mmCIF file of all heavy atoms in Angstrom:
data_model
loop_
_atom_site.group_PDB
_atom_site.id
_atom_site.type_symbol
_atom_site.label_atom_id
_atom_site.label_comp_id
_atom_site.label_asym_id
_atom_site.label_seq_id
_atom_site.Cartn_x
_atom_site.Cartn_y
_atom_site.Cartn_z
ATOM 1 N N THR A 146 -23.569 8.710 -10.285
ATOM 2 C CA THR A 146 -23.592 8.278 -11.635
ATOM 3 C C THR A 146 -22.436 8.664 -12.486
ATOM 4 O O THR A 146 -21.781 7.924 -13.317
ATOM 5 C CB THR A 146 -24.878 8.764 -12.364
ATOM 6 O OG1 THR A 146 -25.969 8.587 -11.546
ATOM 7 C CG2 THR A 146 -25.149 8.062 -13.673
ATOM 8 N N LEU A 147 -22.033 9.933 -12.220
ATOM 9 C CA LEU A 147 -20.875 10.557 -12.941
ATOM 10 C C LEU A 147 -19.558 9.747 -12.524
ATOM 11 O O LEU A 147 -18.809 9.421 -13.364
ATOM 12 C CB LEU A 147 -20.762 12.005 -12.557
ATOM 13 C CG LEU A 147 -19.973 12.870 -13.468
ATOM 14 C CD1 LEU A 147 -20.517 12.864 -14.839
ATOM 15 C CD2 LEU A 147 -19.896 14.278 -12.879
ATOM 16 N N LEU A 148 -19.426 9.470 -11.257
ATOM 17 C CA LEU A 148 -18.290 8.810 -10.738
ATOM 18 C C LEU A 148 -18.205 7.333 -11.351
ATOM 19 O O LEU A 148 -17.114 6.888 -11.772
ATOM 20 C CB LEU A 148 -18.341 8.763 -9.226
ATOM 21 C CG LEU A 148 -16.934 8.713 -8.552
ATOM 22 C CD1 LEU A 148 -16.149 9.914 -8.951
ATOM 23 C CD2 LEU A 148 -17.140 8.654 -7.023
ATOM 24 N N LEU A 149 -19.417 6.691 -11.334
ATOM 25 C CA LEU A 149 -19.421 5.305 -11.899
ATOM 26 C C LEU A 149 -19.069 5.309 -13.399
ATOM 27 O O LEU A 149 -18.371 4.537 -13.882
ATOM 28 C CB LEU A 149 -20.925 4.740 -11.763
ATOM 29 C CG LEU A 149 -21.281 4.303 -10.362
ATOM 30 C CD1 LEU A 149 -22.794 3.797 -10.446
ATOM 31 C CD2 LEU A 149 -20.465 3.129 -9.856
ATOM 32 N N PHE A 150 -19.580 6.372 -14.064
ATOM 33 C CA PHE A 150 -19.280 6.498 -15.480
ATOM 34 C C PHE A 150 -17.742 6.758 -15.833
ATOM 35 O O PHE A 150 -17.219 6.129 -16.689
ATOM 36 C CB PHE A 150 -20.117 7.679 -16.112
ATOM 37 C CG PHE A 150 -19.980 7.779 -17.592
ATOM 38 C CD1 PHE A 150 -20.743 6.967 -18.398
ATOM 39 C CD2 PHE A 150 -19.125 8.704 -18.211
ATOM 40 C CE1 PHE A 150 -20.629 6.979 -19.765
ATOM 41 C CE2 PHE A 150 -19.037 8.748 -19.580
ATOM 42 C CZ PHE A 150 -19.750 7.932 -20.354
ATOM 43 N N ILE A 151 -17.240 7.627 -14.927
ATOM 44 C CA ILE A 151 -15.714 7.827 -15.090
ATOM 45 C C ILE A 151 -14.972 6.603 -14.886
ATOM 46 O O ILE A 151 -14.030 6.302 -15.715
ATOM 47 C CB ILE A 151 -15.210 8.985 -14.129
ATOM 48 C CG1 ILE A 151 -15.912 10.333 -14.624
ATOM 49 C CG2 ILE A 151 -13.798 9.119 -14.065
ATOM 50 C CD1 ILE A 151 -15.834 11.431 -13.611
ATOM 51 N N PHE A 152 -15.242 5.870 -13.859
ATOM 52 C CA PHE A 152 -14.562 4.599 -13.517
ATOM 53 C C PHE A 152 -14.737 3.637 -14.673
ATOM 54 O O PHE A 152 -13.899 2.886 -15.189
ATOM 55 C CB PHE A 152 -14.938 4.040 -12.175
ATOM 56 C CG PHE A 152 -14.159 4.641 -11.049
ATOM 57 C CD1 PHE A 152 -14.724 5.650 -10.225
ATOM 58 C CD2 PHE A 152 -12.866 4.203 -10.826
ATOM 59 C CE1 PHE A 152 -13.964 6.193 -9.220
ATOM 60 C CE2 PHE A 152 -12.140 4.826 -9.802
ATOM 61 C CZ PHE A 152 -12.694 5.760 -8.944
ATOM 62 N N PHE A 153 -15.973 3.543 -15.150
ATOM 63 C CA PHE A 153 -16.326 2.635 -16.284
ATOM 64 C C PHE A 153 -15.471 2.940 -17.403
ATOM 65 O O PHE A 153 -14.885 2.070 -18.072
ATOM 66 C CB PHE A 153 -17.837 2.707 -16.579
ATOM 67 C CG PHE A 153 -18.237 2.362 -17.971
ATOM 68 C CD1 PHE A 153 -18.310 0.988 -18.308
ATOM 69 C CD2 PHE A 153 -18.464 3.372 -18.894
ATOM 70 C CE1 PHE A 153 -18.655 0.576 -19.601
ATOM 71 C CE2 PHE A 153 -18.783 2.983 -20.176
ATOM 72 C CZ PHE A 153 -18.845 1.601 -20.487
ATOM 73 N N LEU A 154 -15.437 4.169 -17.797
ATOM 74 C CA LEU A 154 -14.679 4.687 -18.927
ATOM 75 C C LEU A 154 -13.126 4.300 -18.774
ATOM 76 O O LEU A 154 -12.460 3.767 -19.646
ATOM 77 C CB LEU A 154 -14.824 6.126 -19.108
ATOM 78 C CG LEU A 154 -14.671 6.733 -20.478
ATOM 79 C CD1 LEU A 154 -15.647 6.088 -21.383
ATOM 80 C CD2 LEU A 154 -14.980 8.266 -20.443
ATOM 81 N N PHE A 155 -12.614 4.588 -17.584
ATOM 82 C CA PHE A 155 -11.194 4.327 -17.237
ATOM 83 C C PHE A 155 -10.901 2.773 -17.400
ATOM 84 O O PHE A 155 -9.954 2.411 -18.036
ATOM 85 C CB PHE A 155 -10.868 4.752 -15.874
ATOM 86 C CG PHE A 155 -9.491 4.445 -15.530
ATOM 87 C CD1 PHE A 155 -8.342 5.179 -15.933
ATOM 88 C CD2 PHE A 155 -9.144 3.220 -14.772
ATOM 89 C CE1 PHE A 155 -7.065 4.797 -15.635
ATOM 90 C CE2 PHE A 155 -7.877 2.849 -14.442
ATOM 91 C CZ PHE A 155 -6.853 3.680 -14.848
ATOM 92 N N PHE A 156 -11.835 1.996 -16.840
ATOM 93 C CA PHE A 156 -11.572 0.543 -16.898
ATOM 94 C C PHE A 156 -11.584 -0.028 -18.291
ATOM 95 O O PHE A 156 -10.830 -0.761 -18.756
ATOM 96 C CB PHE A 156 -12.701 -0.276 -16.068
ATOM 97 C CG PHE A 156 -12.504 -0.068 -14.565
ATOM 98 C CD1 PHE A 156 -13.647 -0.032 -13.741
ATOM 99 C CD2 PHE A 156 -11.237 0.198 -13.940
ATOM 100 C CE1 PHE A 156 -13.453 0.129 -12.373
ATOM 101 C CE2 PHE A 156 -11.092 0.320 -12.675
ATOM 102 C CZ PHE A 156 -12.222 0.270 -11.791
ATOM 103 N N VAL A 157 -12.603 0.516 -19.078
ATOM 104 C CA VAL A 157 -12.759 0.025 -20.454
ATOM 105 C C VAL A 157 -11.595 0.378 -21.357
ATOM 106 O O VAL A 157 -10.983 -0.363 -21.978
ATOM 107 C CB VAL A 157 -14.067 0.545 -21.171
ATOM 108 C CG1 VAL A 157 -14.093 0.186 -22.618
ATOM 109 C CG2 VAL A 157 -15.294 -0.129 -20.439
ATOM 110 N N LYS A 158 -11.165 1.723 -21.136
ATOM 111 C CA LYS A 158 -10.068 2.271 -21.881
ATOM 112 C C LYS A 158 -8.748 1.440 -21.507
ATOM 113 O O LYS A 158 -8.074 0.979 -22.455
ATOM 114 C CB LYS A 158 -9.850 3.707 -21.554
ATOM 115 C CG LYS A 158 -8.693 4.409 -22.301
ATOM 116 C CD LYS A 158 -8.556 5.785 -21.867
ATOM 117 C CE LYS A 158 -7.319 6.421 -22.497
ATOM 118 N NZ LYS A 158 -6.027 5.945 -22.053
ATOM 119 N N THR A 159 -8.451 1.292 -20.256
ATOM 120 C CA THR A 159 -7.208 0.571 -19.878
ATOM 121 C C THR A 159 -7.269 -0.836 -20.444
ATOM 122 O O THR A 159 -6.281 -1.350 -21.008
ATOM 123 C CB THR A 159 -7.132 0.586 -18.401
ATOM 124 O OG1 THR A 159 -7.294 1.965 -17.946
ATOM 125 C CG2 THR A 159 -5.784 0.147 -17.934
ATOM 126 N N SER A 160 -8.435 -1.512 -20.195
ATOM 127 C CA SER A 160 -8.508 -2.943 -20.599
ATOM 128 C C SER A 160 -8.308 -3.143 -22.042
ATOM 129 O O SER A 160 -7.614 -3.982 -22.460
ATOM 130 C CB SER A 160 -9.879 -3.496 -20.127
ATOM 131 O OG SER A 160 -10.130 -3.233 -18.817
#
Side-chain angles (χ1 to χ4, degrees):
Chain A
T146 314
L147 201 61
L148 211 58
L149 284 178
F150 186 79
I151 290 168
F152 275 101
F153 156 77
L154 208 56
F155 175 82
F156 289 151
V157 170
K158 178 185 178 289
T159 311
S160 306

